[in-house]
Amino acid sequence: MLKRRQFLHSLIAAPWLLRASNLYAQATNGLPGLRIKDIKVIATSPRRGYSWVFIKVYTNEPGLHGVGSANYRYLCWAVKAALEKHMIPFWIGKDADRIEDMWQSTHVRSYWRNGPITNVVQAAIDSALWDIKGKRAGLPVYELLGGKVRDAVPLYAHGGGSDFEACATSVQKWFDNGFRHVRVQMGGYGGGGFIAPGMGSRPETGFNGKAFDEELYVKTIPELFQHIRDQVGWEVKLLHDVHEHLTPSGALELAKRLEQVKMFFVEDILPPEQIDYFKQIRALTSTPMAMGELFTHPHEWRPLIANRLIDFIRCRVGMIGGITQAKKIAALCEQFGVRTAWQEGGENDPINQLIAYHVDMTIPSFGIQEENDFPEHVYEMMPGAARIRKGYLYGSDTPGLGIDIDEKIAARFPLHDDYRNADWTTVRGMDGSVVKP
Ligand code: MG
């Protein structure tokens, strides 16, 4: 009773003190300390392109568990081994309530840090602990992160086609379906800049396939977007992903030529190795820049944000260490007027989509979220997965992340690395040399 009175008094005296931590303390008052008791790895490939490695973290509280994703399609077996052989033995027995402490100790656990494998593994335990904390408090994770600042998460759609006309039709279709933002690619990444196999001036022997040509791309893409503006109008917000294909001078030229069609953003106009050139691009064009899909290290995003050289940060939440890191980046963005546009590739999974969702719901620096949806049997396998309706993402609003994994269904689709026989990241120029993908 005394505690209750003190609590009520604190509300009257200082209502601003009623923060997420108070809600959690209130909900868990009198409960025993929470320990990680066991961690199960669930590795599953429910569709081509999906190489998902999840964890279920069990606690000493009966029935209380959390889920996380260590999704890294291209090195999925290495991630699984990193979890099973190295990290799970380190995590078992630790205090499940101390999310930040777990983040920090996991971050330095393998001494060398900020790589994609260490980051996704770190995101997995981070997600599971946020899930557990939310379930224990009886609150969705976004409540623990400060509560909603928006009602749902706006998404951009993926439009495109093989020619100008098909691209314009696709944009109109998405716009009519409620998406105000549409990213447009003409064919695959670099589309509009390819010379057909066997065509043009080639070396006598060697590569004779589809070849990327920078000048062709820089000429074609502004014409494509002008055509879309002419056909669809100016209400739709247009996005485009360069996917790093350009040299610095090509990037600058493209950004300048796209000014006339008023892009919402142009994404990854340069590879991460050339981020210093954003200073020149910023000084010479008003085309908004989104950057950072491949970023894994603070030294990559920090200078671009702190020097106001980009408009949107594009990291994948699972690839930078999860909710704990994403909230910090979002706070940094807020200080410098940069917005978020978390990456959500087609091979990503419903847990990673939800960790982005919970962050998106709580950050004033939010800009846009990438659309990603799943086949119906994945929604069955992962009850509570977020749903997309008319351009917005909606979480399940149940406590924690709001999602679980049906292990029986997951077991029907054993982990498979189908990327071994694919190679979309190798793009070549006319002379056969590799272009950034
Ligand atoms: Mg991208």
Side-chain angles (χ1 to χ4, degrees):
M1 194 58 202
L2 184 65
K3 273 189 179 157
R4 183 179 157 78
R5 203 174 306 132
Q6 282 170 339
F7 176 69
L8 289 173
H9 179 74
S10 80
L11 281 183
I12 295 159
W16 56 87
L17 287 177
L18 183 63
R19 299 248 162 86
S21 58
N22 302 64
L23 292 171
Y24 184 71
Q26 195 186 356
T28 59
N29 192 17
L31 294 177
L34 201 59
R35 297 268 154 203
I36 296 174
K37 201 175 159 196
D38 191 19
I39 300 178
K40 186 186 272 189
V41 174
I42 300 154
T44 180
S45 291
R47 195 184 77 176
R48 185 168 171 74
Y50 292 166
S51 298
W52 295 347
V53 180
F54 299 129
I55 55 172
K56 263 192 188 178
V57 176
Y58 297 90
T59 66
N60 57 336
E61 191 175 306
L64 180 62
H65 73 272
V67 294
S69 165
N71 187 327
Y72 185 11
R73 179 191 179 193
Y74 308 110
L75 289 172
C76 56
W77 291 106
V79 166
K80 187 166 180 285
L83 286 165
E84 289 171 344
K85 306 288 185 191
H86 302 287
M87 297 316 295
I88 288 175
F90 172 67
W91 293 330
I92 286 179
K94 293 219 161 26
D95 188 334
D97 263 339
R98 299 194 173 197
I99 300 175
E100 180 69 39
D101 188 71
M102 181 66 103
W103 199 95
Q104 298 295 340
S105 58
T106 298
H107 191 58
V108 294
R109 172 65 187 162
S110 50
Y111 191 44
W112 280 275
R113 47 199 183 257
N114 296 302
I117 293 179
T118 51
N119 284 4
V120 298
V121 159
Q122 198 164 350
I125 190 71
D126 187 72
S127 308
L129 296 192
W130 278 110
D131 191 22
I132 288 167
K133 196 179 279 292
K135 284 175 179 166
R136 212 178 191 214
L139 297 166
V141 167
Y142 61 70
E143 293 293 358
L144 302 177
L145 299 177
K148 290 182 183 182
V149 297
R150 55 185 46 77
D151 301 315
V153 173
L155 304 174
Y156 72 75
H158 298 105
S162 56
D163 57 25
F164 284 17
E165 207 46 58
C167 287
T169 305
S170 161
V171 171
Q172 186 68 59
K173 194 191 95 190
W174 283 113
F175 189 66
D176 293 344
N177 282 333
F179 284 81
R180 295 184 304 136
H181 305 77
V182 185
R183 196 182 82 179
V184 186
Q185 308 296 134
M186 195 165 72
Y189 295 120
F194 284 107
I195 292 171
M199 301 298 285
S201 170
R202 306 276 184 157
E204 288 170 357
T205 58
F207 179 69
N208 208 17
K210 189 175 82 166
F212 183 75
D213 183 83
E214 173 160 309
E215 285 69 28
L216 177 61
Y217 181 80
V218 170
K219 175 183 178 292
T220 308
I221 295 303
E223 291 171 359
L224 165 68
F225 280 93
Q226 188 60 59
H227 178 80
I228 294 168
R229 284 292 183 218
D230 292 344
Q231 297 297 308
V232 185
W234 293 83
E235 207 180 332
V236 62
K237 298 170 203 294
L238 296 172
L239 298 72
H240 179 68
D241 189 354
V242 176
H243 236 263
E244 319 168 50
H245 283 57
L246 299 178
T247 63
S249 60
L252 179 57
E253 183 61 29
L254 178 68
K256 282 166 67 92
R257 290 193 197 182
L258 284 171
E259 280 179 6
Q260 60 187 346
V261 290
K262 302 276 180 252
M263 302 295 289
F264 183 75
F265 69 52
V266 174
E267 175 184 343
D268 287 355
I269 202 163
L270 287 169
E273 296 83 359
Q274 299 301 344
I275 56 176
D276 290 347
Y277 274 98
F278 277 100
K279 199 172 171 190
Q280 279 84 345
I281 292 173
R282 187 54 138 199
L284 292 168
T285 91
S286 60
T287 295
M289 289 291 132
M291 180 65 194
E293 173 168 324
L294 295 183
F295 287 175
T296 56
H297 197 294
H299 287 176
E300 295 170 308
W301 60 74
R302 198 159 52 209
L304 293 183
I305 296 170
N307 292 306
R308 303 178 173 90
L309 297 179
I310 55 171
D311 301 275
F312 296 87
I313 188 73
R314 275 290 288 158
C315 307
R316 176 182 290 195
V317 176
M319 207 26 108
I320 52 168
I323 290 171
T324 297
Q325 181 72 297
K327 276 290 280 188
K328 292 173 186 178
I329 295 176
L332 185 71
C333 285
E334 189 184 341
Q335 298 302 306
F336 292 100
V338 176
R339 290 186 281 170
T340 64
W342 307 127
Q343 195 266 1
E344 186 65 49
E347 91 295 354
N348 212 353
D349 62 82
I351 294 176
N352 271 349
Q353 183 180 53
L354 269 169
I355 61 174
Y357 166 84
H358 284 280
V359 173
D360 291 341
M361 290 296 281
T362 64
I363 53 171
S365 55
F366 173 83
I368 191 74
Q369 171 72 45
E370 186 169 3
E371 177 270 342
N372 189 21
D373 58 10
F374 307 96
E376 209 45 47
H377 67 280
V378 165
Y379 290 102
E380 214 178 298
M381 184 180 99
M382 308 192 73
R387 290 284 189 165
I388 297 167
R389 291 188 293 275
K390 292 188 186 291
Y392 289 90
L393 186 69
Y394 298 88
S396 68
D397 279 351
T398 54
L401 294 175
I403 188 169
D404 211 337
I405 306 161
D406 184 322
E407 290 175 50
K408 273 193 189 144
I409 299 179
R412 296 212 308 256
F413 310 103
L415 182 64
H416 176 56
D417 174 18
D418 59 32
Y419 184 65
R420 270 185 307 187
N421 302 319
D423 193 14
W424 71 265
T425 57
T426 306
V427 179
R428 294 187 186 275
M430 290 291 274
D431 65 355
S433 62
V434 169
V435 176
K436 291 284 193 308

